[in-house]
Amino acid sequence: MKIISIRENPDYKDEAIAYFQRSWPSVRPEIYEDCISHAIGARGNLPQWYLLEIGNKIIGCAGLITNDFISRGDLYPWICAIFIEEIHRGNAYASLLMEKAKSDAKGFGFEFVYLCTEHIGYYEKYGFSYLGQGYHPWGEESRIYACNLQ
């Protein structure tokens, strides 16, 4: 099992784009293509995109970005697009992606990471605390969670 950073392994770019697009079909496909393509060689440390691989099969993904289409632009970075294939859920594999994003964020000098979700009780198991509600441009709300990296 390994976590693949697309920045460190740009040869995975096309596979990562396709995987994120399949995993999050409600997101316009050009969003992931543009974000992932421009992350490679970006001047700053963000964004970061990750794949989780078991054997030679990708089973999950996540990102570390500056804003997850949420009203709280004062908070960053955000762990986003966490996805694990249904057959592999229940094994805490998402926690591996979260830990990689947290480790990178801490290494980049951030004190906190954030995520937005509708899930209650899941992210708390991995060090996140509910912070409040945030608002998306398309009119929906999400719960905002924070994790102290110190």
Side-chain angles (χ1 to χ4, degrees):
M1 179 176 325
K2 68 179 176 177
I3 296 175
I4 300 160
S5 163
I6 306 309
R7 276 207 179 180
E8 295 170 10
N9 300 278
D11 49 313
Y12 278 87
K13 178 189 83 154
D14 292 338
E15 188 172 2
I17 291 167
Y19 189 83
F20 275 86
Q21 289 170 335
R22 281 192 312 275
S23 300
W24 296 100
S26 63
V27 176
R28 291 175 49 188
E30 60 270 18
I31 299 277
Y32 287 121
E33 181 176 1
D34 200 40
C35 289
I36 293 169
S37 294
H38 287 96
I40 297 168
R43 281 183 247 148
N45 293 318
L46 300 176
Q48 297 284 331
W49 298 97
Y50 311 105
L51 296 173
L52 179 61
E53 184 178 70
I54 294 180
N56 290 324
K57 181 170 173 50
I58 303 298
I59 65 144
C61 62
L64 182 65
I65 61 177
T66 57
N67 189 294
D68 199 8
F69 301 107
I70 193 88
S71 56
R72 293 296 304 271
D74 59 312
L75 306 174
Y76 61 92
W78 295 81
I79 298 176
C80 71
I82 301 168
F83 181 84
I84 298 295
E85 298 287 337
E86 192 169 341
I87 194 169
H88 294 285
R89 292 179 188 167
N91 297 301
Y93 291 147
S95 70
L96 301 174
L97 290 163
M98 286 187 277
E99 288 304 315
K100 172 64 172 160
K102 287 182 198 178
S103 175
D104 282 355
K106 186 174 183 175
F108 301 150
F110 293 103
E111 293 181 40
F112 291 87
V113 290
Y114 304 90
L115 58 83
C116 53
T117 185
E118 291 308 311
H119 296 288
I120 298 171
Y122 179 74
Y123 294 102
E124 292 89 338
K125 294 187 273 187
Y126 301 105
F128 286 86
S129 299
Y130 177 69
L131 187 63
Q133 290 297 112
Y135 307 93
H136 296 287
W138 50 88
E140 294 178 7
E141 292 183 34
S142 284
R143 296 172 61 82
I144 295 173
Y145 286 84
C147 181
N148 189 328
L149 301 175
Q150 303 307 310

